[in-house]
Amino acid sequence: MTIAEKNIARCINNVKRHTGLCRAISVALLFSMPLGVQATMDDAKVYEPVAPTIDQARANILIARQLQFTHFRDLGISDELSGQVFDAYLDYLDGQRIYLTQDDVSTFSQIRNHLGSALKTGQLQPGFDIYNLVQQRVIERLQFALDVIDDGLDKLNFSSDESILLDRSDAEWATDSAALDALWIKRIKNAVLAQRLNGSDDDTITENLQRRYEGQLKRAYQARSEDAFQAYMNAFTGMWDPHTSYFSPRTSENFNINMSLSLEGIGAVLQSDNEYTKVVRLVPGGPASQQGQLQPADRIVSVAQDDEKPVNVIGWRLDEVVDLIRGPRNSVVTLEVIPSSATDETITKSIAITRDEVKLEEQSASKDVIQLNRDGSDYTVGVITIPTFYADFQAMQAGDPDYKSTTRDVRKLISELEEQGVDGLVIDLRNNGGGALHEANDLVGLFIDKGPTVQIRNSNNTVQVLNDEDPSVAYDGPLVVLTNRMSASASEIFAGAIQDYGRGLVVGSQTFGKGTVQAVRPLNHGQLKITQSKFYRVSGGSTQHKGVIPDIEIPTRIDKTRIGEDALEHALPWDQIEAVPHTRYFDFSGIIDELRKRHEERFADSPEFSLLQQEIDFLNEQREQDSVSLNLDVRKQEHEQVEQTRLTIANARRQIRGEEPFKTLDELDDWQDQQAADLDKTDEELDFVIREGGYIMADMLELDKHMASIDEPTQFAAQAQAQAPNQ
């Protein structure tokens, strides 16, 4: 054992946690050792470089073949692609450019354009060399951060006129270690400021930051060969499209469990986002969806079990975060998250969620009725909310005549609403992320005669057309379909078909744009999820990338630059194929301008819409902020302004509802916690977007009566009077 090694061992045996001196010695030893040298002492923390396995090399070759010959996108493995893989891999490993220097990046510049040929033949070592260097730099940076914290937060200067860039994804690489030191001191100051402004004292902040960085440091030391391989393969597969990805054997197991919907957890779909775990979407009817605070694009910082201390999960593998969140039914897991609306990654909130199974009945379609008055005329509008496209396959296969499915449930709800004498129908597909394709096909069939519903083009350019073969129509009256940015996949197929057939109006915001179909294929080592086909509307346009554009638009709080297919790197583009013959039931061209005009006039006078626009403007202003001050007084003033705006907006909403305003932010926070904890709460009044859908419905009916009175063809006549099919 060398003298340096003995000193490290002695340090570790004498103290529970590294002192600054111990960390400095271990770093010096780490970067003086060849990559292949392993530590000889039991307790010393020295990074063990990971190496590829034969199984991984074979899987790499299979992945390369599948991508080239079976993926929907025809993309060869070229020198240009090699450079893109290199950049994507560095973005995955150091997306905020806080670990590597320009010299580090230049070290691998000679292999930048040669990764493709290596990936074709299973030569993984270049990717593993990059991974090992990044892990070493991660350890170095985290040890530096702990040294700064050990020196005391009182040594940090919060009176200078400094600021920190919030998003460094497009920043230049740091010139050297000294530049990274300066950057990390700013990062630590930013974290300290955020916690001080949230009321934490310096002792608590010190403990929190030590726990955070030590947790990340522990994960870095525990890096596995599979971590490097999965990261490298996903940088590679992501060149074809963002939904094509490699699943390690462990990740494959979690994927298969999630697909069964029997998982006891919180009902959230997660993915890796640089060093964070990000919420992609919430499962309708699941605990997180019902609790109401967790939102898509939130990033998870820590996880706590019941009353235990939180475990920081920044830098953790996705499968390990999933394991930590998963747990027995009725137990409580608390997530500390960076909200999607946060301007700064140090702004967090804690969300307590009671674990449970995602039950099919909690995803079921439901109905409501709203009564509206327009210019002295009363209208009864039915509302059907569809959280997801579901079907109880097991009950169906068992021959249960009463098995649940979206189409069967909606047909029954329509019958009940018609018995109540509704004048029109609103279908709410907001936040519906899709589900069973055949259910979308069958649901369209409730509103049309026989006809095509969607086209599916495969990688060999063959086109399959799905049809509604049932000539019966469950509802032939006026129809409005509500969508938002989280309406995806099967939701887009339904909304697009209703729009193409002229069967109803689509109202809301542009949908997600998920118009691709994936298949999971087994490998010798893990699985490959690969895009193999693409959806097209009956009019020929794809739902991919562009989604469905509403006939009447309603703004949304959702940040379209962060959520949606067109916000994803390498997403397949929008295109179109030939239309298939389909009927146009109604022609809205004669009334759509008047409908939009009335809608805009109504919203101009609506306090709810005014408040929504105020929220959107506030969120956009926060999102556009690219840096924050590190001066305590300036930061405190900015923080108070943001918090006061939150309180003002919340009280404006309470005033609209005739409720007492909150006197303080603490009152607001306590009320939000109580609301989130009450899983049985029900809205006394449907939200104003649904009511606006009803008003648009009333406008349609009024305009229809007007056209009938001047002997114009009525827009909502019987289906027998439908126009000839379009070609």
Side-chain angles (χ1 to χ4, degrees):
M1 183 180 291
T2 66
I3 293 175
E5 290 170 344
K6 289 179 180 177
N7 286 337
I8 292 176
R10 187 178 303 114
C11 282
I12 296 173
N13 288 332
N14 286 338
V15 294
K16 290 184 178 179
R17 185 175 56 79
H18 284 317
T19 64
L21 174 62
C22 293
R23 281 193 293 273
I25 293 173
S26 65
V27 171
L29 175 63
L30 174 64
F31 288 100
S32 66
M33 292 172 62
L35 284 181
V37 176
Q38 296 183 354
T40 56
M41 55 286 195
D42 293 335
D43 296 322
K45 295 289 188 181
V46 176
Y47 176 67
E48 304 265 359
V50 296
T53 67
I54 294 176
D55 282 344
Q56 290 168 349
R58 289 173 179 164
N60 172 202
I61 295 171
L62 291 173
I63 290 169
R65 290 175 181 171
Q66 295 266 22
L67 292 173
Q68 290 181 93
F69 301 119
T70 64
H71 193 280
F72 186 87
R73 172 176 263 159
D74 183 12
L75 184 64
I77 300 177
S78 61
D79 288 346
E80 180 183 358
L81 184 77
S82 295
Q84 293 174 354
V85 172
F86 178 84
D87 293 339
Y89 191 35
L90 287 189
D91 283 343
Y92 183 89
L93 297 175
D94 188 12
Q96 288 298 304
R97 305 195 171 190
I98 57 176
Y99 300 119
L100 299 177
T101 65
Q102 183 59 61
D103 286 344
D104 291 329
V105 177
S106 299
T107 300
F108 295 105
S109 59
Q110 67 273 18
I111 68 170
R112 174 186 172 85
N113 294 326
H114 302 289
L115 290 181
S117 57
L119 285 164
K120 279 183 179 181
T121 54
Q123 299 177 49
L124 295 170
Q125 195 57 53
F128 275 68
D129 288 343
I130 295 171
Y131 183 87
N132 284 323
L133 177 64
V134 173
Q135 290 304 109
Q136 290 172 348
R137 295 299 185 245
V138 168
I139 290 169
E140 179 182 354
R141 286 295 109 207
L142 294 173
Q143 289 170 328
F144 173 82
L146 285 166
D147 285 343
V148 171
I149 295 167
D150 284 346
D151 286 342
L153 303 186
D154 58 323
K155 303 288 180 62
L156 299 174
N157 180 9
F158 294 99
S159 59
S160 61
D161 186 21
E162 281 187 312
S163 63
I164 184 171
L165 191 65
L166 293 173
D167 181 5
R168 287 184 45 82
S169 57
D170 294 325
E172 298 293 329
W173 295 102
T175 54
D176 51 30
S177 293
L180 280 180
D181 287 351
L183 171 62
W184 272 79
I185 289 174
K186 283 188 173 184
R187 285 171 58 83
I188 293 167
K189 289 168 70 173
N190 189 34
V192 171
L193 273 177
Q195 294 190 49
R196 279 183 179 175
L197 293 174
N198 285 335
S200 298
D201 58 48
D202 280 4
D203 288 342
T204 301
I205 296 171
T206 298
E207 181 182 352
N208 289 341
L209 293 180
Q210 285 176 337
R211 188 166 60 243
R212 174 189 300 182
Y213 294 133
E214 286 173 349
Q216 291 178 249
L217 191 60
K218 179 181 178 182
R219 309 316 301 171
Y221 280 126
Q222 292 177 347
R224 305 176 306 177
S225 174
E226 197 59 44
D227 301 331
F229 182 64
Q230 182 160 287
Y232 193 28
M233 285 303 99
N234 281 326
F236 180 40
T237 61
M239 295 298 102
W240 274 258
D241 85 303
H243 303 292
T244 295
S245 57
Y246 167 73
F247 293 161
S248 69
R250 180 67 180 278
T251 306
S252 298
E253 178 185 345
N254 284 323
F255 177 80
N256 294 335
I257 291 173
N258 288 335
M259 289 300 98
S260 72
L261 286 181
S262 63
L263 174 66
E264 288 187 350
I266 64 170
V269 178
L270 310 175
Q271 72 178 29
S272 294
D273 181 26
N274 290 319
E275 58 188 350
Y276 291 101
T277 297
K278 184 173 74 174
V279 178
V280 179
R281 64 180 177 87
L282 304 180
V283 178
S289 175
Q290 290 189 338
Q291 197 267 3
Q293 287 184 295
L294 194 66
Q295 297 296 321
D298 286 355
R299 289 173 291 170
I300 300 173
V301 174
S302 70
V303 180
Q305 313 296 334
D306 293 309
D307 296 327
E308 297 179 6
K309 281 190 174 182
V311 176
N312 186 278
V313 295
I314 298 175
W316 278 40
R317 295 183 291 270
L318 179 61
D319 60 336
E320 292 185 333
V321 178
V322 170
D323 284 346
L324 204 58
I325 294 174
R326 182 184 299 159
R329 185 178 180 184
N330 295 326
S331 61
V332 176
V333 61
T334 300
L335 306 181
E336 180 189 5
V337 304
I338 302 170
S340 58
S341 59
T343 58
D344 184 348
E345 66 180 23
T346 60
I347 297 174
T348 65
K349 67 177 180 180
S350 294
I351 302 172
I353 303 172
T354 302
R355 299 179 177 102
D356 202 350
E357 287 190 5
V358 179
K359 301 180 180 67
L360 189 61
E361 58 268 24
E362 292 172 346
Q363 298 181 316
S364 299
S366 59
K367 68 177 173 68
D368 216 314
V369 172
I370 51 178
Q371 303 290 340
L372 302 174
N373 182 276
R374 293 282 296 156
D375 299 327
S377 297
D378 293 324
Y379 294 94
T380 302
V381 178
V383 180
I384 295 179
T385 301
I386 305 175
T388 187
F389 286 86
Y390 55 89
D392 189 342
F393 294 107
Q394 291 183 345
M396 186 191 312
Q397 292 170 353
D400 184 349
D402 297 320
Y403 74 88
K404 288 184 66 63
S405 77
T406 302
T407 307
R408 292 164 67 98
D409 289 350
V410 170
R411 184 189 296 274
K412 180 180 178 182
L413 295 176
I414 288 174
S415 177
E416 293 171 356
L417 289 170
E418 287 191 319
E419 288 178 3
Q420 294 178 257
V422 295
D423 298 302
L425 184 63
V426 174
I427 300 290
D428 188 359
L429 294 181
R430 291 174 301 166
N431 302 318
N432 183 322
L437 174 60
H438 76 270
E439 285 299 320
N441 175 73
D442 292 348
L443 189 68
V444 174
L446 296 184
F447 303 95
I448 66 169
D449 292 325
K450 285 185 176 181
T453 59
V454 66
Q455 303 184 76
I456 305 172
R457 182 160 73 102
N458 299 314
S459 57
N460 62 4
N461 285 326
T462 60
V463 177
Q464 174 189 7
V465 180
L466 298 188
N467 289 275
D468 165 42
E469 302 292 351
D470 185 353
S472 66
V473 175
Y475 177 76
D476 61 3
L479 181 66
V480 166
V481 178
L482 298 180
T483 64
N484 68 0
R485 190 61 163 176
M486 298 309 297
S487 304
S489 195
S491 292
E492 297 174 287
I493 290 171
F494 177 82
I498 294 299
Q499 194 176 57
D500 287 342
Y501 273 95
R503 186 57 192 83
L505 287 179
V506 177
V507 175
S509 54
Q510 180 184 11
T511 60
F512 192 93
K514 171 66 165 63
T516 56
V517 184
Q518 287 72 43
V520 177
R521 297 179 178 171
L523 303 168
N524 67 303
H525 185 78
Q527 296 174 306
L528 177 66
K529 180 162 69 79
I530 186 169
T531 298
Q532 61 179 13
S533 51
K534 199 172 180 181
F535 290 130
Y536 294 83
R537 294 162 59 157
V538 295
S539 57
S542 176
T543 56
Q544 168 62 17
H545 205 278
K546 187 183 290 187
V548 176
I549 307 298
D551 300 295
I552 297 177
E553 187 166 0
I554 296 178
T556 176
R557 301 179 186 87
I558 298 173
D559 184 359
K560 291 170 63 174
T561 65
R562 297 183 62 185
I563 298 176
E565 190 77 7
D566 55 3
L568 301 175
E569 291 286 338
H570 305 290
L572 292 178
W574 179 90
D575 64 342
Q576 63 184 69
I577 58 177
E578 289 188 13
V580 290
H582 61 282
T583 299
R584 283 284 296 181
Y585 287 87
F586 310 118
D587 180 8
F588 291 100
S589 61
I591 62 172
I592 189 63
D593 289 342
E594 179 64 22
L595 288 173
R596 288 171 180 155
K597 177 184 175 184
R598 293 187 181 191
H599 159 73
E600 290 167 2
E601 289 174 349
R602 197 159 42 242
F603 264 27
D605 296 331
S606 166
E608 289 136 318
F609 176 70
S610 175
L611 184 59
L612 172 64
Q613 195 60 58
Q614 184 180 345
E615 284 185 275
I616 292 171
D617 292 342
F618 171 65
L619 290 172
N620 287 338
E621 182 181 335
Q622 297 295 98
R623 291 162 184 157
E624 289 170 4
Q625 187 176 355
D626 59 3
S627 63
V628 291
S629 174
L630 297 177
N631 181 289
L632 177 59
D633 293 334
V634 173
R635 189 68 166 271
K636 185 180 295 184
Q637 182 180 2
E638 293 173 347
H639 179 77
E640 289 172 354
Q641 289 175 346
V642 170
E643 294 294 88
Q644 185 58 47
T645 302
R646 278 185 59 218
L647 183 61
T648 299
I649 291 174
N651 281 336
R653 179 168 288 111
R654 290 180 72 80
Q655 183 179 2
I656 291 172
R657 296 174 178 174
E659 299 169 343
E660 285 294 318
F662 298 112
K663 295 184 177 62
T664 65
L665 278 165
D666 287 340
E667 276 190 30
L668 169 60
D669 291 337
D670 289 344
W671 178 83
Q672 288 178 333
D673 290 342
Q674 291 170 6
Q675 288 293 106
D678 181 11
L679 300 185
D680 296 324
K681 63 181 179 292
T682 57
D683 291 329
E684 295 181 359
E685 184 178 16
L686 291 173
D687 68 71
F688 82 98
V689 175
I690 289 180
R691 285 187 282 114
E692 177 60 20
Y695 281 123
I696 291 171
M697 178 74 62
D699 290 338
M700 291 164 60
L701 291 166
E702 282 186 15
L703 291 171
D704 184 50
K705 291 178 182 177
H706 173 71
M707 295 179 73
S709 69
I710 58 175
D711 295 327
E712 293 284 346
T714 60
Q715 296 298 300
F716 310 119
Q719 291 190 24
Q721 298 177 0
Q723 299 176 15
N726 291 333
Q727 298 298 319

